[in-house]
Amino acid sequence: NLMLHIQTILYRYENIDKVYESIPKHEDITWHISKVKSRKTPESKIWEDKRVVLYDIDCKDNDFIVKRNTSFNEMKEGWFCLLDDDNTFHNHMYEVYQKYKDTDFKGMIIGQQNSSNNNLRLDANYPSPGWIDTGNVLCHTTALETNKWSKGSSGPRDFTFWNNCFKLFKRQNTILLKEVISNYNALR
């Protein structure tokens, strides 16, 4: 019973409904949303969805490290992806998960990513420092046992975490796709 875990560190409240509407309505998806206690929970229909888990965290609103690690600690078996507040969940991402979830493959999948004007933003090439973004990667939760978000010399940037995952799985356990699996800044 593998699960696709989607994680959002809630920051831009105004986009939450549009992002939610982009997520396929399947039972094997759990959406983890991290918000701070100091901000009021926005009114939305998403809280009625049993697949949505809300974490009220006692930290600063811009402390993305605590927000991410709190929900990561609750993720068990399966796959996960990070979804920024202004990224819509492209259906290809779910199709890729469906394709690989019943195999023995454990690693990361990198796909292409569109920008808000539908032009290609990121190619699916092997990652280099500063390249990988949250919007175009699927990764097995095995990576969470080894890698955590932390305050490094480069700050809490996406590429730091993803390149650590890439080092864990190594090149032979990384799959590159031509499909676009997310839309970056699709709500702007």
Side-chain angles (χ1 to χ4, degrees):
N1 295 327
L2 292 182
M3 182 71 63
L4 176 61
H5 301 278
I6 305 168
Q7 192 221 35
T8 296
I9 46 174
L10 191 55
Y11 195 73
R12 302 177 184 89
Y13 284 27
E14 65 273 14
N15 295 330
I16 198 70
D17 282 325
K18 290 181 180 179
V19 173
Y20 175 66
E21 289 169 4
S22 76
I23 297 174
K25 304 298 188 282
H26 297 287
E27 293 181 358
D28 58 347
I29 294 177
T30 296
W31 189 16
H32 304 260
I33 300 179
S34 299
K35 66 168 285 288
V36 295
K37 291 182 177 179
S38 59
R39 290 184 71 180
K40 184 179 178 182
T41 303
E43 292 185 12
S44 175
K45 58 187 175 184
I46 67 172
W47 314 124
E48 301 169 10
D49 193 324
K50 295 179 181 178
R51 303 168 310 136
V52 176
V53 179
L54 177 65
Y55 303 89
D56 266 319
I57 304 169
D58 192 9
C59 69
K60 293 182 179 179
D61 204 17
N62 63 351
D63 194 341
F64 299 156
I65 295 171
V66 172
K67 285 183 175 181
R68 285 172 171 142
N69 286 342
T70 297
S71 58
F72 275 9
N73 288 335
E74 299 300 318
M75 295 181 189
K76 306 303 178 186
E77 290 187 287
W79 298 79
F80 76 90
C81 65
L82 289 112
L83 192 67
D84 293 337
D85 297 359
D86 55 355
N87 280 32
T88 55
F89 187 99
H90 200 286
N91 204 50
H92 280 152
M93 188 178 286
Y94 183 73
E95 292 170 3
V96 168
Y97 156 71
Q98 284 285 306
K99 180 177 179 179
Y100 288 99
K101 73 171 186 175
D102 295 324
T103 70
D104 292 329
F105 174 79
K106 290 185 179 181
M108 60 192 299
I109 298 170
I110 303 173
Q112 298 187 86
Q113 183 180 27
N114 273 358
S115 61
S116 57
N117 62 4
N118 215 33
N119 291 329
L120 184 66
R121 179 172 182 263
L122 290 174
D123 272 318
N125 295 309
Y126 282 115
S128 59
W131 183 87
I132 301 182
D133 184 272
T134 57
N136 65 342
V137 179
L138 283 170
C139 194
H140 199 277
T141 51
T142 303
L144 302 181
E145 299 171 5
T146 303
N147 300 296
K148 290 289 183 182
W149 289 88
S150 62
K151 293 181 179 177
S153 58
S154 59
R157 297 291 304 278
D158 298 346
F159 68 79
T160 304
F161 178 82
W162 287 122
N163 278 284
N164 286 340
C165 293
F166 180 69
K167 289 177 184 176
L168 172 70
F169 291 123
K170 301 182 175 58
R171 185 167 300 216
Q172 65 266 27
N173 292 324
T174 300
I175 295 175
L176 306 177
L177 301 172
K178 292 183 178 180
E179 290 92 344
V180 174
I181 63 174
S182 73
N183 286 322
Y184 180 79
N185 284 340
L187 302 176
R188 291 183 179 176

